[in-house]
Every structure is written in C-alpha cells, then in structure tokens.
Amino acid sequence: MATTSPSDAPKPTPSSLSGSDIDAPGGRPVIALAGNPNSGKTSVFNALTGLRRKVGNYPGITVDRVEGDLLLSDGRKARLVDLPGCYSLLPRGEDERLARGVLLGLDPRLPEPSAVIAVLDASNLERNLYFATQLLDMRVPLVVALNMTDVAEERGVPVDAAALEAALGVPVVPVSGRTGANAHALREALTRAAAPGRLWSLSADGETALDTLVQAIRAEGVLPERIVEAEAVRLLFHGTDASAYGGIVGTVQAQLDDAGVDRLALEAECRYLFCRDVARKARNDKDPQGPSRSERVDRLLTHRILGPIVFLGVMATMFLAVFAGADEAMGAVEAATGWLQGLVTEHLGEGMLRDLLVDGVIAGVGNVLIFLPQICILFLFLAVLEDLGYMARAAFLIDRLMRGVGLSGKAFVPLMSSFACAIPGIMSARTIESRRDRLVTILVAPLMSCSARLPVYVLLIGAFIPAGMQSLTMLSMYLLSIVAALGVAFVLRRTLFKGEESPFILELPPYRRPIVKTVIRTVTGKGWVFVREAGTIILAISVLLWFLAYFPKDDSLSAEAAQRIEAGEDETVVADWEASAQLEQSYVGRLGHAIEPVIAPLGHDWKTGVGLIASFAAREVLVSTLGVIHSVGEADEESVSLRERMRAETKPDGSPVHTPLTSISLMVFFVLACQCMSTLAVVKRETNSWRWPIFMLVYMTVLAYVASLVVYQGGLALGFGP
Amino acid sequence: MSAQEVVVLVIGLAALSYAFVRFVVRRRAGTCCGESSCPAAKGAVERLASASDQTES
C-alpha cells in the first residue's frame, strides 16, 4: 500500500479567505469549533467568547451546538459555533451528523462556516490528527488550535507548532484553553485559514476507485466542488447505497472487495500512517515516554478483577456513610416535624383543618424531608467521585459488562444517568445511532436504581434491617438493578432486537482533585430539587390522599366509640380503634382492601398497596403516603416517626405486619417495577409509539411481581418468616 | 360549613388544580420538569461525552 507523507503531499493551496473575506451572506460570519471529545474544545470556546454562551436546540436531537460571540481581529463580531465533540465525521451518530452537516454547509439553520478551528489535544496527537484529516478532506478553511501543550510537555513529548503547521499547510496556534493564553493569536490566525484538501493518500487501487467516484459525482453536478472528494471518500468506504450515482458506488466498492481489500481497514490504515508521520515530525522524532500517573492508577482501578472489587468497596463505603452519617441530621428533621405537629395541635382548635395539617401536610411532607440528609450525603459522594474522574472508570467497568450482554457501548451514558433519574437517561439515549440499540437501552434504563427509590430503601432498611446489614442491603439493591438491566438487555438482544452491536470509543479523563465549589453546587442543587418536590407534588398528593383517607366518615363508628368511652373503656385505646376503623372504610381503605388479595402473596398489607398505587406519581410518594395513612389511622399525633409506627403495627393475631422479609420483598418490587408515569410519557415521546411504554410497563411489573413473590415465598419457605 | 372546613376545601381544590396543571404541562412537554428538552439529559451528555473541562482543569 502506498501512502503519502506530508512532504509528498500536494502543496497546500492558500485559502481564498483573507481577513476581509471572512464573510457570510446576509449576516455575521460563522466560525465553527470542532474537535475530539476531551480535546479541551469547550475551554477554547470559553476563552474565545469570554463565556458568553447560548444554547441552540436542535429539535429531536439531544446533542446541542453551543454558540457564542467571537470578536475578530478586525473588530467585527462572528458567530462561534461549538460543535459536539466527536471522533469521526462519518454521519453515524446524531453528534457526528450534526457536525458534518454544519461543516459541509448542509445545515439549514446555519450559513456555511467561513472558517473552522480544529482543537487538537497535543498529548494525544495521532488520534486528534485523524479527525483533522477528515476536516482537511472537506476543504474547509482551517486553523488548528493546539491545546494541552503543557500536558504533552509534562509527558516529555513537546509538540513543535511550526513543524505541525508546515506538515498540515494550515496555521497552527498553541493555546491554553484553561488560562485563555494565545486566544488573540488564534483570532489573528483566522485571517490565514487555509483549505489544502486531502493530504493522505490511498493505495493505487484505492486512488483509482476514488478517482472514478469523484468523476461520477462531479458529472452529476449537484454537490459543490469543495465537498466532492470528501463525499467520494465517504461513499467509497462507508456508502451503503450501491445504486448511488448510477451504480458506480457499488461497482467501485465491488472492485476493491474483489481485489481482497478490506475497505474500512484501508481507510483507517492510510489515515493513521499519515497521522503518525505528521506527529513524529511535529515531535521532532520523539515518542511518548511511559504511562502517565492516571494510566498507572487506572491499571488498578480498571483491572479486570481488582477494578470491580474496588468499585464494590467504594459503593459499600458510600452506603455505609448514607446510613451512619445522617442519623443526627435525620433526628433533627424528625424532631422539627414533631415539634411542628405539636404546635399546630396545640394552637389550632380541634377540627378538620387541624387534622389536614397534622395528618396530611406535616406527616406527608415531613416524612419525606427526613431523608434530605441522606440524599445530600449520597450526592456528596457521587459528586466527589465524578469530579475525581472515578465515575468514568466505573462506567468503563460497567461498559465491559454491557458489551458482554450485547448492549451498545454508548448505552453507558444513558444507564449511568439513570442512577440519578431514568428520564435524562432515556433522553440521552438519543446519542445511540442504531434504533435497535437505542430501544434496548431505553427499555432497560428504568431498571437502574434512580434516586427517587432511595427514600423507600432508607425507610425500609432503617426500620427493619439490622444495623450491621444495612449498607450491604442497600448495595444489594443497586447491584440487583444493574443485574436486572443487563439480564433484560441480554434477553432482548437475543429475541426482539437481534443484530450486531455498534462500536464505541470510551475515553478516560485524567484524575484531578475535586473542586469544592462544584461539589457544593451539585449537592445543594440535588438537595434543592428534593425539597422542591416535597414542597410541591408530594405536598399536593399528601393533601389529596388525606381527603381520600379522611372521607367518608361513618357516624355509627363515632357513636360506637362514644358509647365505649362512656362504658369506661380507655379513651386512647378507643380513639385508636375509631381512627383505624374510619380509615378502613374510607376511600383509601376501600381501594387498599380491593387490591390486597393481589399483593398479599408478596407479604404486603392494604396500606402498602395504597402506597404502591400512589407511588406511580413519583416513587418517593410511597413514603409520604405511608406517612399520611399511618398518621390518619392512629389517634396519637405526637409520634411522627413513620419507622416506629410501621415497626409497631400488628395483625389481628398479634404478629408484626412488617418484617425484614416483607421489607426486602417490597424493595425488590421497587427496584424492578416501573412506577413512574413521567418515565412512561418520556418513552412514548422518544419512541413515538405507545407500544414500547406499554411493553415496558407490562414486562417490568411482571418481573417485579414475580421477583418479589419469589423473595417472600422463598424466604418463608426457608424459615425467614413470619 | 365551619371556617375550618372552608379552608380545608380551598386547600384541597388548590392541591387538585396544582396536580392537574402539573400533569398537563409535563405531559405536553414530555419531560418530568415540564421543559421542552431535558436539562439533565443535556448535562449528562455534556459531562460524559465531552469531558473537556474536566481534562483542562
């Protein structure tokens, strides 16, 4: 195979652009910023625009282009468009499609860019140059911003910008996105942007085939001359429509295939040969020396065996902190709730309003707010781990498992996001190009244990699981969610969604010290969302649920209670009996009893059944619902601890209603069931069909029911009852 | 109807209206926060797919 070295390359033709030519018909010139993920593109964007960013949404596409004002060296303002970071400009994923569309001037929302700034990571030069060759193919006026030169220097392989400029035939400016250094020089360089065209070359067979295609495209006269060759390269190596251009695409592809040429490998090899040659020149024939510190740490943390062990250890420590570290704060919130209930009881005359405030509003919202300290601890850990760079390693470990079950590598972003909430997870599945892979990811994302399940776990674990087992139980719930998601994906990929999986490149960012400000912002942000939910929808549902638990009133029960008190029975006992009897015949009581036969085999009573139905609005509503039901159903308004009330609840035969076994059965149900209307609505929107949300609801409910049944009945059979 | 009962009725109606409006708004938007595109999804994609800031800092 013959390849062309930079010295053999055709002489770069100077771009037609000059300072005054950076122009756009009917508006400000557009400058596009392109580069690999992790090349520091966003930092260069911020340095050039002074962080004046606005986000332009592309309907139906999650990946955005970000736009800002760029002051050109002649004083004019240009639009700087930050394209999504991508490894290739082949239109496979939405991000690549978007970037390619803008660069080729095919995006109806933007004029063709007057120039493109390619941000290259100097510490990963070969891989970044691969992307640059694709930009060069497109004959866009190009300037290279050489970023992270300090990292390259630290690794002992400084990059000579002048040598790189000579090899590529476009201006190369070393910049620091972090400090903003040389941003001015980059602006200046835009006036010298050049479009030398394709610099790498193919084998003789390849060049002949390419030339045939170029002639065919040119003959049709539809595409502008500038992009003819780039389109020919795409069609030759990645074209799927063999009949295009009168069948010439199929003919030239067949010629190469018949000659035993692996077309995909041919393109990659030729480009990489060129990139290696250029990189060697730019580094004055030096190669990177030894692994970096991050790479050394990664040898342990991403190790096939040690990696998962460390990961489980980190998770177990996190959950231990969630239980052990929040006791005092939870006690304080509990005490505050009790104090508020006492205050209202004391100062408001007996009546319906007092009952609503004490049993509905305070019991409902208070019992959810109690979990705020634990939510904050959990997100504190997650924010630190993410900022440290560890979450990307965790993703890497899970990615290995995901590919094992046939999930797309790109599914790791949606699945990791689903640990916070399934909705952003499902929406970020838009980055997966294959519809089949995307659907599988969407269908399993809600199985990942979202943060709304956390209060449910914490309530049940705190109340019924012995102290030494709490962290382990919590960890088990998270592991169950991962195993369930991977298991379902495995089944789906071998039944409904058969086919090849798509390739994916996962890059691990270097470790860094967590930034306190970022961590605090994440924790307060998540905490605030939790408080806002408690103060809005949970408050509203608690009020509505109180109505359903308070009405209708059966006067005969009140009369019977009065008679029993007159007869000398203990007033508190009778009051408790009346509250409980009234609740049983209320709307909520009737509903609960109606579904009790269905959930009784899982070990749950009718009150939990009502909670399960209410939790379709939001999972944490289970906690507020149980809070309201237990509060309305008991005359004692001083004790607010839901955990204590649940622990003390007994069946008519005196045995406890809730046990460790029933709580595990309930948690397993919560891990696997799809109790979230918002998730179903989003799946409907994303798949544009009711078929998939209904499928999801059915399979998850059946899975949850069966698993919960197996846990409870199996536990009973093994003697873990009652 | 006592004063307490009137207040309770008003609170109940307010809760019902809020829940209904919230349901309609979010259903139309197709997101859990009611915004036309999901900010958390954008954040997730930005953070994980393009960790450029992380590398730089």
Side-chain angles (χ1 to χ4, degrees), chain B residues 20-37:
Chain B
F20 178 72
V21 170
R22 181 181 149 117
F23 174 74
V24 170
V25 168
R26 289 170 191 224
R27 210 197 128 114
R28 272 194 190 160
T31 56
C32 56
C33 59
E35 288 188 29
S36 59
S37 68

Side-chain angles (χ1 to χ4, degrees), chain A residues 322-340 366 369-374 458 640-641 643-644:
Chain A
V322 164
F323 283 103
D327 261 1
E328 284 189 16
M330 285 179 79
V333 181
E334 225 167 54
T337 313
W339 172 80
L340 199 60
L369 280 182
I370 282 171
F371 300 103
L372 179 62
Q374 286 173 315
V458 173
V640 292
S641 167
R643 281 183 290 184
E644 280 166 25

Side-chain angles (χ1 to χ4, degrees), chain A residues 38 64 178 353 386 682 685, chain B residues 4 29-30 42 47 55-56:
Chain A
N38 260 351
D64 295 322
R178 186 164 49 87
L353 179 60
E386 187 174 338
V682 168
R685 194 179 100 155
Chain B
Q4 281 210 13
K42 269 187 233 159
R47 267 201 327 275
T55 312
E56 280 290 292

Side-chain angles (χ1 to χ4, degrees), chain A residues 90-347:
Chain A
L90 292 170
R92 282 190 298 228
E94 292 294 357
D95 39 7
E96 291 152 1
R97 200 166 290 135
L98 193 154
R100 186 178 175 89
V102 170
L103 292 168
L104 292 181
L106 304 175
D107 192 309
R109 289 157 189 274
L110 270 182
E112 192 178 316
S114 304
V116 175
I117 300 172
V119 181
L120 305 190
D121 171 2
S123 64
N124 269 311
L125 198 56
E126 279 91 339
R127 199 197 61 216
N128 280 250
L129 278 171
Y130 190 93
F131 180 76
T133 62
Q134 295 181 326
L135 286 172
L136 289 165
D137 290 356
M138 290 180 172
R139 292 183 183 276
V140 286
L142 198 66
V143 170
V144 167
L146 190 64
N147 201 13
M148 300 188 201
T149 45
D150 48 348
V151 180
E153 264 172 48
E154 271 172 32
R155 294 186 62 187
V157 278
V159 177
D160 182 347
L164 191 60
E165 183 166 319
L168 295 178
V170 300
V172 175
V173 183
V175 294
S176 171
R178 186 164 49 87
T179 62
N182 254 1
H184 182 70
L186 191 55
R187 284 193 195 98
E188 286 283 342
L190 281 170
T191 59
R192 297 184 284 118
R198 182 167 66 97
L199 297 183
W200 58 286
S201 65
L202 292 158
S203 60
D205 286 353
E207 286 293 342
T208 309
L210 187 65
D211 193 49
T212 310
L213 259 180
V214 166
Q215 300 305 331
I217 298 171
R218 208 171 265 155
E220 201 165 278
V222 174
L223 291 182
E225 179 59 29
R226 175 172 80 79
I227 62 174
V228 165
E229 198 175 42
E231 182 62 4
V233 170
R234 185 188 72 79
L235 287 172
L236 180 59
F237 297 112
H238 308 280
T240 50
D241 181 8
S243 63
Y245 293 100
I248 292 182
V249 172
T251 309
V252 292
Q253 284 182 339
Q255 278 169 2
L256 285 184
D257 295 344
D258 291 344
V261 174
D262 180 341
R263 281 183 284 124
L264 286 181
L266 175 68
E267 186 203 5
E269 276 172 25
C270 293
R271 280 191 197 271
Y272 264 120
L273 269 175
F274 169 76
C275 295
R276 266 198 290 272
D277 201 14
V278 172
R280 191 176 286 270
K281 282 184 161 54
R283 287 195 294 241
N284 297 321
D285 294 326
K286 276 189 186 170
D287 283 324
Q289 300 284 312
S292 65
R293 197 175 49 179
S294 280
E295 284 166 347
R296 285 198 298 272
V297 175
D298 278 340
R299 280 184 192 164
L300 168 72
L301 296 186
T302 60
H303 188 270
R304 208 167 269 275
I305 296 159
L306 293 175
I309 294 173
V310 173
F311 175 66
L312 290 178
V314 169
M315 292 293 117
T317 310
M318 181 169 82
F319 294 135
L320 197 65
V322 164
F323 283 103
D327 261 1
E328 284 189 16
M330 285 179 79
V333 181
E334 225 167 54
T337 313
W339 172 80
L340 199 60
Q341 280 185 315
L343 194 74
V344 173
T345 308
E346 199 179 312
H347 288 89

Side-chain angles (χ1 to χ4, degrees), chain A residues 37-38 40-43 57 62 64 147-148 177-178 349 351-354 356 386-387 389 413 417 423-424 427-428 509-510 512 533 536-537 540 543-544 546-547 678 682 685, chain B residues 4-5 7-9 11-13 15-16 18-19 22-23 26-32 35-38 40-42 44-57:
Chain A
N38 260 351
K41 204 162 52 65
T42 306
S43 306
N57 258 341
T62 312
D64 295 322
N147 201 13
M148 300 188 201
R178 186 164 49 87
M352 205 185 278
L353 179 60
R354 191 177 82 175
L356 168 65
E386 187 174 338
D387 225 26
V413 177
S417 308
I423 287 156
M427 295 187 78
S428 58
R512 68 170 190 182
E533 286 290 294
T536 53
I537 189 62
V543 168
L544 295 176
W546 176 86
F547 271 90
S678 304
V682 168
R685 194 179 100 155
Chain B
Q4 281 210 13
E5 285 168 352
V7 177
V8 166
L9 192 66
I11 293 174
L13 287 173
L16 193 62
Y18 173 78
R22 181 181 149 117
F23 174 74
R26 289 170 191 224
R27 210 197 128 114
R28 272 194 190 160
T31 56
C32 56
E35 288 188 29
S36 59
S37 68
C38 178
K42 269 187 233 159
V45 171
E46 262 174 35
R47 267 201 327 275
L48 288 164
S50 175
S52 49
D53 286 340
Q54 199 168 23
T55 312
E56 280 290 292
S57 305

